[in-house]
Structure formats: C-alpha cells, structure tokens
Amino acid sequence: MKTDVVIIGGGPGGTTAAMYLAREGIQSIIVEKDLFPRYHIGESMTGECGAIIRDLGLESIMLDDEHPQKYGVNVYGAEGKNRWFIPVMARDENNDLQTQFTWQVRRSVFDKRMLEAAVERGATLLQATAVKPLINEDGDVCGIQVRMPDGNLEDIEAEMVLDCSGQNTFLANSGITGPKYVGNYDKQIAIFSQVANTIRDGVDDPEHHKDNTLIFYQKKYHWGWFIPLDDDVVSVGIVVPSAYFVEKGESKDDFVKRELRELNPELARRVPDTTLLEPARSVVNYSFQVKRFTGKGYICIGDAHRFLDPIFSFGLYVSMKEAQLASKAIKAYFDGANRDADNPFADYQAYVEKGIDVLEDSLDAFWEQPLAFARIVYSLHRPYMIDVFAGRIYEGQPSPAALAFQKLLRRDRQYDSEDIYSVPIGSRYHPERAPIWNTASSMVRTADGEALVNYFDS
Ligand SMILES: Cc1cc2nc3c(=O)[nH]c(=O)nc-3n(C[C@H](O)[C@H](O)[C@H](O)COP(=O)(O)OP(=O)(O)OC[C@H]3O[C@@H](n4cnc5c(N)ncnc54)[C@H](O)[C@@H]3O)c2cc1C
C-alpha cells in the first residue's frame, strides 16, 4: 500500500490530522488497532478545542449528539468552601474576550464520530496494528509495517508518518525519536468511574452552569474531577500519588468510593450516591516527554510525545491543535519547504514544545504554590489566564502570567539548541532517570496483588 501520509491511531489527534490534511488535498491512511466505539478517558474540552471542532464544521454533530456544554471550570479548595472559577472565553476579531462554550464528551461517541467524519472527507481507515516503522536507505522513516486482523503483515509506504498513537508512543518506543523521559507527574495514579444522582449547579449563568467541570483539591498531587457526561451520568476521577493508593490497600472500586466521601466535603456533597456505574479503571505513570519528536519522514502528535498532568484538561486540545499545525507544516514540506534540512520540522517542533512549556509552568505553579497561583488566576493576570485555560498558549507567550509563574518557580526557560530547549531548570524534571519507563520498579499493585497497568496497554 502507498499513501502521502500514514497516521498511526484513529483517536482525536489522528482524525483531526486526517481532516486537515484532506483540506490541503493530501491523502492519508489512518491505521487504528481498536474497533470503535471503544472506551477512552479524556472527556473535558478546553475552549480552543471547541474552536477546532467548529473550524472543522462539526458543531452540528456535537449538538445532535447532545454532548453537555461546558462554560468553565470551578476549582474547590481543600475545605470545599473556597473556590475559583475560570470561564471558557474566546477572543473576537477585536481581541476582546467573549463568553463561549465548549463540550464534555463521552469519548466512545465522540471518537467514533470523528473517525467517521475523517473517512467521509477522504481518509482511508485500516483496521490494523502498526508494528514497526519502515526505514529507507538514507535512514529516514518512509512508512510503517502493520499487522492485519488475520495476522498477515503489510507494508504501507508513505512520505510522512504521523504518530498519533497516544500514550502508546509508537515511534518513541521504536527508537526513532530522541529518548523518552519521565515527566513531573510520573508517580501518580488516576482511578476513575461514573456515578449518577449527583447534585449539579443551576443553569442560569456560566459560572453555575450544570455541565461545568468541577475540580476538587485535597493537597499537593491529590485531587478529584467531576465531569458531566449527560443529564444523569457524571465521570468522576481520583488522582493521587501511587504510594498513597498502595498504602490504602483497597480495590480500585473501594478506593474511588471512599475518596468520593473523604477527599473534599464539597465532592461528598455533590456525590451523595457513590454507586459506581461501571468498574473503576486506572492509568499510572502517564507523565512523560519525548525529545526530538519530529524528523525526516515523521512527526509525533500530542500524547505520542508529551503528556503532563490531566488536571486542567489540556490533552485533547494539545493533540488536536498539533494535528492542525502539523498538517500545515506537512503541506509546506510537500510544496518544497525545508526539503534539504536535517529536520524539516524543527521550527514546528520548537513552536509546539514552547506551547506545552507554558502549560507546564502553569501546572507546576499550581502544585507548588496553589495560593499564589489562585491570586494570579483570579486577580493579577486573569485575562491572560483565561487565555491559557482556553488553550491560547502559542502566540504572545510568555505572557505576564507565564512570567509570573516562572518567577514563582525560579525557572529560567532556555531555548538554545534543539536538544536542551524546554528543560525546566529547577523543577522536578529528571533526565538522569531516563530511560526508565513502565519498568517493574514503576509498577503499582492493589492490595490483592493486581498489577495496575495503563488500560491503554490492556
Ligand atoms: C487520567 C486522565 C484524564 C484525562 N482527562 C482529560 C480531560 O478531561 N480532557 C482532555 O482534554 N484530556 C484528558 N486527558 C488526556 C487525553 O486522554 C489525551 O490527551 C487524548 O486522548 C489524546 O488524544 P490522541 O488522539 O493523541 O490519543 P488517543 O486518544 O490515546 O488515541 C490514540 C489511538 O491510537 C491507537 N493506537 C495506539 N497504538 C496503535 C498501534 N500500534 N497501531 C494502531 N493504532 C494504535 C489507539 O487504539 C487509540 O485509538 C486525560 C488523560 C488521563 C491519563
């Protein structure tokens, strides 16, 4: 088989890429190992994620599917009394902030719709598993080998490989990229399920909209989420240091139920009925960063090269935004730009890496200095932080808010060379520990000995 671009993964990153490539007249094959619909975590969108959906002309599908509309995020302090709110807002043509809404999505429904839309617009879907990259005589990536459902191996030749395999990090695991480092939040575990009969806010204003995301802080690295999925069902998740989970010695279900009662008084009030609608799932060690995630013949998108921390719901947006930006970079490359460069996508790589650095500084400041963070978000630099929470992290950065976070963290970002840019000096970033990843030493077990791996891997 032959195509212009082969895309590994039919999640939102892969399908967004396919749709933007189609807009540029570029052919793609999406290789997806799972049959959709399939479960996936990552249900709350940022404002700019909604903007991509609108740009793709998919708003009417979102409305038909009745995904809840999100107007903002309420973050509750440990006692459940103090709270700060960040609205979803867009910038209009005069650069003024305007109220906007985005969506909460059941990923089984949303991802399937995206895949169908990509195929309708010309992408070819191949139900298969990518097993290894193909390398040409110059040592460049020139396609992938896939295993078909009948077990046969087939080669797909392509001028570009887009790795949208999410936390499976296909190209990093194949040794094509630079090394994969554990990230700042690598010793965390997220355990999640769904509940009903919850107490939701009213609907009369954006701050108290019934479908907003609620975040409940307990203490450093210990928090919970509340994300409405329809009028009855709410996704709930508990995120803690893995050591704390092991110390509790509980099953995943019992852990979630007890934390729903104990983590934060406001969470307990909101979820009076802790009956879980489905068995709890988990993700461990989800925080990592891959160096040199672009090169001749390949680009890694979103989770396939970097994931920080789920707390403020940036994952879907980063994957979809990078897919949009990468499609433009690929079009330029196909039209002749940077054909002879060692890495034709070096500028793209620096651009998107700096955007995630803005998120990293924000998240690290939240965990290291929550009170100062709240003051910056709520009063000192509110418009800039409304931008960051929406996902406007690429242009006009570092903003005064981003610089305030760097000051709080005593962090000086260096962008001197391809290899060292983005290393946050003074943070808990620890390249010396690379390349440990998902080794036995980072395994988390329940009280009855069950090894918890990412459900992504199961
Ligand atoms: C606990 C937790 C909570 C989160 N909450 C949020 C949230 O509220 N909001 C948010 O925006 N983000 C959230 N995220 C992040 C979000 O889940 C991801 O950022 C998002 O799904 C990334 O999309 P993607 O398309 O890059 O990858 P994915 O959605 O993971 O899609 C990758 C696809 O590739 C396929 N694939 C993988 N390997 C292969 C292979 N070898 N061959 C063929 N196919 C392959 C997989 O089957 C999958 O369908 C959360 C993450 C975690 C861990």
Side-chain angles (χ1 to χ4, degrees):
M1 263 179 273
K2 235 181 171 158
T3 185
D4 297 333
V5 180
V6 62
I7 299 172
I8 306 162
T15 49
T16 302
M19 285 187 261
Y20 279 110
L21 287 169
R23 217 181 246 191
E24 303 286 1
I26 297 172
Q27 263 192 345
S28 67
I29 295 179
I30 300 173
V31 176
E32 169 56 56
K33 65 181 173 55
D34 290 344
L35 265 180
F36 284 24
R38 54 98 175 89
Y39 178 88
H40 205 297
I41 196 59
E43 297 148 329
S44 188
M45 293 187 171
T46 68
E48 289 297 314
C49 193
I52 293 175
I53 288 178
R54 291 183 177 99
D55 184 55
L56 285 169
L58 299 173
E59 181 164 13
S60 60
I61 289 182
M62 300 299 282
L63 298 175
D64 287 351
D65 286 343
E66 298 184 348
H67 293 294
Q69 295 176 0
K70 166 185 168 184
Y71 286 83
V73 184
N74 271 301
V75 181
Y76 287 89
E79 302 302 318
K81 292 183 191 122
N82 299 329
R83 146 183 94 76
W84 47 266
F85 172 68
I86 278 279
V88 172
M89 296 187 93
R91 292 272 175 191
D92 66 15
E93 59 281 2
N94 301 318
N95 208 29
D96 292 328
L97 286 168
Q98 299 296 346
T99 296
Q100 179 57 289
F101 69 83
T102 186
W103 289 277
Q104 318 280 21
V105 290
R106 220 183 266 276
R107 288 287 300 275
S108 50
V109 176
F110 173 71
D111 289 14
K112 183 165 185 282
R113 284 291 207 175
M114 290 284 284
L115 194 53
E116 286 164 356
V119 170
E120 268 164 31
R121 292 167 194 207
T124 302
L125 170 63
L126 188 69
Q127 186 73 48
T129 303
V131 289
K132 70 170 191 192
L134 302 177
I135 309 293
N136 65 20
E137 58 278 7
D138 296 328
D140 301 329
V141 175
C142 62
I144 56 171
Q145 187 172 74
V146 300
R147 179 173 296 111
M148 303 298 286
D150 62 8
N152 281 336
L153 295 175
E154 286 212 23
D155 288 352
I156 305 177
E157 290 169 41
E159 200 171 342
M160 283 294 299
V161 173
L162 270 191
D163 182 1
C164 303
S165 65
Q167 297 239 344
N168 289 61
T169 58
F170 176 80
L171 286 180
N173 289 358
S174 311
I176 296 296
T177 64
K180 180 175 177 179
Y181 296 90
V182 287
N184 283 356
Y185 306 99
D186 66 305
K187 290 279 175 263
Q188 295 284 99
I189 181 167
I191 308 186
F192 35 92
S193 182
Q194 295 170 358
V195 293
N197 308 315
T198 59
I199 295 176
R200 313 255 283 258
D201 278 336
V203 287
D204 30 17
D205 67 89
E207 186 164 346
H208 300 103
H209 195 277
K210 68 180 174 49
D211 290 334
N212 284 344
T213 294
L214 309 181
I215 300 284
F216 300 93
Y217 178 88
Q218 214 301 311
K219 56 177 175 294
K220 196 169 177 181
Y221 306 142
H222 188 152
W223 61 281
W225 78 67
F226 180 107
I227 298 174
L229 295 180
D230 60 33
D231 281 345
D232 299 320
V233 178
V234 173
S235 163
V236 285
I238 309 293
V239 186
V240 296
S242 303
Y244 171 85
F245 172 74
V246 172
E247 191 188 296
K248 284 292 173 191
E250 294 166 325
S251 70
K252 286 182 283 186
D253 281 10
D254 288 346
F255 180 83
V256 171
K257 288 185 190 177
R258 185 190 45 71
E259 287 287 322
L260 286 173
R261 291 191 296 270
E262 293 178 5
L263 186 147
N264 185 297
E266 180 62 10
L267 177 58
R269 186 185 78 78
R270 299 272 184 174
V271 187
D273 177 358
T274 60
T275 309
L276 302 184
L277 303 184
E278 54 175 37
R281 294 176 160 97
S282 61
V283 180
V284 289
N285 305 336
Y286 46 66
S287 183
F288 59 86
Q289 179 170 12
V290 172
K291 290 289 182 180
R292 292 193 299 280
F293 56 92
T294 67
K296 270 207 177 127
Y298 72 93
I299 297 179
C300 305
I301 298 288
D303 283 24
H305 70 93
R306 191 169 176 188
F307 188 74
L308 302 170
D309 181 348
I311 186 155
F312 295 127
S313 305
F314 290 115
L316 271 175
Y317 168 64
V318 168
S319 282
M320 292 169 68
K321 185 70 190 176
E322 289 186 7
Q324 182 191 47
L325 295 168
S327 305
K328 284 205 182 79
I330 291 170
K331 166 72 174 152
Y333 176 67
F334 283 2
D335 287 348
N338 305 324
R339 295 300 299 192
D340 299 327
D342 279 350
N343 179 0
F345 305 104
D347 290 347
Y348 162 86
Q349 177 175 275
Y351 186 76
V352 301
E353 191 83 303
K354 284 181 189 177
I356 307 183
D357 288 349
V358 171
L359 296 181
E360 187 169 59
D361 291 342
S362 308
L363 292 168
D364 288 354
F366 172 77
W367 288 118
E368 298 300 328
Q369 309 261 2
L371 295 179
F373 179 89
R375 223 160 70 83
I376 286 170
V377 168
Y378 217 76
S379 47
L380 294 181
H381 295 302
R382 191 160 172 76
Y384 294 114
M385 287 313 293
I386 289 174
D387 283 337
V388 169
F389 274 86
R392 291 182 285 276
I393 51 174
Y394 299 100
E395 295 298 321
Q397 299 288 351
S399 71
L403 291 172
F405 291 147
Q406 288 181 8
K407 200 166 159 204
L408 272 181
L409 296 163
R410 296 199 187 86
R411 178 175 294 169
D412 179 18
R413 288 279 182 187
Q414 304 284 330
Y415 295 98
D416 299 349
S417 80
E418 192 175 298
D419 238 14
I420 68 159
Y421 69 74
S422 106
V423 173
I425 296 158
S427 77
R428 298 189 307 124
Y429 191 79
H430 26 64
E432 72 285 355
R433 286 166 58 190
I436 54 162
W437 179 254
N438 277 349
T439 57
S441 64
S442 60
M443 192 77 85
V444 181
R445 288 181 188 279
T446 62
D448 49 10
E450 181 196 353
L452 297 186
V453 292
N454 282 356
Y455 77 87
F456 297 120
D457 297 333
S458 54

